[in-house]
Amino acid sequence: MPISRDVMRRAAADPDRPAVVGPCGPVSFGELAERARRRAEALADSGVAAGQGVVCADEDPSAVLVSLVAADLLGAAAIVTEPAWPDAVADAAVTAARALVDRHGKAASLVVFSSGSTGLPHPIARTRRSWTFSFPTFSALTGIGADDTVLIPGRLSGSLFLYGALHALTMGAAVHPLPTWSPGLAAEAAASTTAVHLVPTMLAGLVERIDPAASRLRVAVCAGAHLDQPVESAARSAGVQVIDYYGAAELSFVAIRRPGLAPGRLRIFPEVEADVRDGVIWARSPYLALGVDQDAEGFASVGDHGVHHDDGTLTVLGRGDAAITSGGATIAPEAVEGVLRTAPGVQDVAVVGSPHPRLGQVVVAVVEVRPDHPLSLPVLRSTATEQLPPAQRPRVWYAVDQLPRTGSGKVARALVGAGLRDGSLGARVLA
C-alpha cells in the first residue's frame, strides 16, 4: 500500500501540511510520519514483521491512521476493528483475521470486516494494489485531490470511510474525521471541508442542517444503500454535487454515477467488468479481495440484485431479501438469529428489518417462546450486548407462540416481516 510511501514523501517535502484536522487533530504530515515511525519501531521491537497482522482498534481516528501507516512501513497487514465490539466478539474477529493474514502472508496489507453469517464479523483481506490502484481513477471521477479537506463522519472500521481517509492522505488532502457519526458535528464541519464520504441516511441528516451560505462542501461521495432522489435534490440545493457508487467490501468498486446520469443508472467503474446473471450482479476486476470466491472466469458476487441495461449502465436493486441495511452496515439476519437462539426461553427466532427514517432500517427480533421457560427481555438484551456488535443488536423485540414456517420446516422470514406490517402475525411487543 503506497500510503506510507506517500505520507513519508509529503512529510519530507512539506512537514507542516495538515494531514488530520477537526476534533481529532491537528496532525501535520510531518507529525503523522514521525508518530508512524515510532509506532513501527515499537511494533518491530515486539516481534511484528512483514506478513503479520497489526490490530488497529483505537477510538481516536488519528491513532488508527498512525497504526495503519506504521503497519505498512513494516509490510504488515493492518487489521481495522470496531472499538465498540464486545470483548468476545473482538477476540474472535481478530483471531479469524490473523488466520486470514497467515494464509495470505505478505500479500495481505489490510483486513476489514463485514457482517458474517456465523454471528461474528467476517474478515476480508485486501492487497495493497486492490485499494490503491483505484486512487487516481477515483480522484479523476470525483475531483477530490490535494487541495481538499475531506470529511469522514463515520468510524474507520467501516470500509467506506477507511477508503475515503486513505485516498485523501495519499492524494495529499487533509482528513477531517469524526470519532462517531453526529449530524450536528458534520454540519459544523461543512464550514471548513470541501468533500465528504457518507451513506445516504447520513447525507439526508447533513443537508437538513448545513447553511449553504457558510458551507464549503462541494462534493458528497455516497454509497452503502439506495440514494433517494429527494435527498440528492436537497444536496444540490445546498450546493453539493452528489456522486454515488455501488460496491462491497469484497468487491470494492463496481459501478459509479456522476452528475448527468439518470437516477438509478450507474456506469461500470474503470477496469471493472460486470455481469448480471439471473438477476444477481457479478464483477471481475483488479480490486477484488484476497480469497474471495470466484467462478471459473474470475467473477465474484455478494448476492446483490441488479439490471444491466443495453446502454451499459447498471441499476442496483439492493441486497437479497434477507439482508438488513442499518446506518450503512449490512447485517445478515442469520448472524443475529444464531446468537439469540442461545438465550434462555427462546425456541426459535426470526430477525427482520424495519424501516427507520434516519438509519434506513433497524433490526427487529421476533422470538418464538419456549412453552416451558419464561422469556426475559433483559436477558435477551444482555445476550445481544455480550455477543453482537452494536449494529447487529435488535432495537425492537416481539414474542410469538409460533413462527410461520415453509413446507420444509424453515422459518418463513418473509411472512414474519409481512405479518408484522399488517398485524396478522399476532406478535406481542416485549417491554
Side-chain angles (χ1 to χ4, degrees), residues 379-398:
V379 170
L380 287 172
R381 285 178 170 160
S382 176
T383 300
T385 299
E386 292 172 0
Q387 301 186 50
L388 291 170
Q392 295 185 9
R393 298 170 193 165
R395 297 286 192 94
V396 184
W397 301 81
Y398 292 95

Side-chain angles (χ1 to χ4, degrees), residues 185-267:
L185 288 178
E188 290 178 14
S192 59
T193 56
T194 55
V196 60
H197 291 257
L198 71 187
V199 298
T201 52
M202 288 179 173
L203 180 61
L206 175 59
V207 297
E208 285 179 357
R209 292 168 174 81
I210 61 175
D211 176 4
S215 172
R216 293 184 61 221
L217 275 179
R218 60 175 181 80
V219 61
V221 180
C222 208
H226 174 72
L227 175 64
D228 291 330
Q229 287 309 296
V231 175
E232 183 176 4
S233 297
R236 282 201 307 267
S237 297
V240 181
Q241 180 187 74
V242 179
I243 297 172
D244 61 305
Y245 68 86
Y246 161 67
E250 298 88 344
L251 307 178
S252 194
F253 293 107
V254 176
I256 191 166
R257 175 174 168 265
R258 302 178 68 242
L261 276 180
R265 296 290 188 101
L266 292 84
R267 292 285 181 194

Side-chain angles (χ1 to χ4, degrees), residues 279-291:
V280 176
I281 301 169
W282 292 74
R284 179 172 64 185
S285 79
Y287 312 129
L288 298 183
L290 276 169

Side-chain angles (χ1 to χ4, degrees), residues 37-372:
R37 286 192 194 98
R38 294 198 303 266
R39 174 72 171 141
E41 290 172 359
L43 289 169
D45 290 343
S46 69
V48 175
Q52 296 182 332
V54 173
V55 177
C56 307
D58 298 273
E59 291 276 357
D60 181 2
S62 64
V64 174
L65 294 173
V66 167
S67 293
L68 280 161
V69 176
D72 194 53
L73 285 170
L74 295 174
I79 300 170
V80 186
T81 64
E82 168 55 57
W85 286 344
D87 289 344
V89 172
D91 291 345
V94 169
T95 297
R98 290 193 185 281
L100 189 62
V101 172
D102 290 343
R103 189 181 315 146
H104 294 292
K106 295 180 182 179
S109 73
L110 183 68
V111 178
V112 294
F113 293 86
S114 69
S115 179
S117 60
T118 63
L120 294 172
H122 174 64
I124 300 164
R126 308 300 302 257
T127 65
R128 286 160 175 78
R129 186 174 186 269
S130 72
W131 266 32
T132 59
F133 183 68
S134 67
F135 283 176
T137 301
F138 186 78
S139 285
L141 292 171
T142 62
I144 298 175
D147 294 331
D148 284 295
T149 300
V150 182
L151 174 60
I152 306 293
R155 288 194 183 275
L156 297 182
S157 53
S159 58
L160 179 156
F161 304 116
L162 183 59
Y163 180 92
L166 293 183
H167 168 264
L169 288 179
T170 300
M171 295 295 111
V175 180
H176 185 125
L178 298 182
T180 189
W181 166 242
S182 164
L185 288 178
E188 290 178 14
S192 59
T193 56
T194 55
V196 60
H197 291 257
L198 71 187
V199 298
T201 52
M202 288 179 173
L203 180 61
L206 175 59
V207 297
E208 285 179 357
R209 292 168 174 81
I210 61 175
D211 176 4
S215 172
R216 293 184 61 221
L217 275 179
R218 60 175 181 80
V219 61
V221 180
C222 208
H226 174 72
L227 175 64
D228 291 330
Q229 287 309 296
V231 175
E232 183 176 4
S233 297
R236 282 201 307 267
S237 297
V240 181
Q241 180 187 74
V242 179
I243 297 172
D244 61 305
Y245 68 86
Y246 161 67
E250 298 88 344
L251 307 178
S252 194
F253 293 107
V254 176
I256 191 166
R257 175 174 168 265
R258 302 178 68 242
L261 276 180
R265 296 290 188 101
L266 292 84
R267 292 285 181 194
I268 305 304
F269 199 84
E271 305 294 331
V272 175
E273 297 175 74
D275 192 13
V276 177
R277 308 170 189 172
D278 297 324
V280 176
I281 301 169
W282 292 74
R284 179 172 64 185
S285 79
Y287 312 129
L288 298 183
L290 276 169
V292 65
D293 289 336
Q294 301 175 35
D295 66 9
E297 297 178 331
F299 283 83
S301 176
V302 293
D304 291 337
H305 295 256
V307 176
H308 206 168
H309 302 284
D310 292 340
D311 63 358
T313 59
L314 180 72
T315 295
V316 180
L317 302 178
R319 299 278 177 174
D321 291 340
I324 301 165
T325 300
S326 182
T330 301
I331 298 153
E334 294 89 348
V336 185
E337 291 165 353
V339 168
L340 298 184
R341 287 192 187 99
T342 67
V346 176
Q347 180 78 28
D348 208 342
V349 61
V351 169
V352 297
S354 178
H356 188 276
R358 182 172 59 86
L359 298 174
Q361 290 178 298
V362 293
V363 178
V364 175
V366 183
V367 178
E368 185 177 287
V369 183
R370 289 179 62 93
D372 58 347

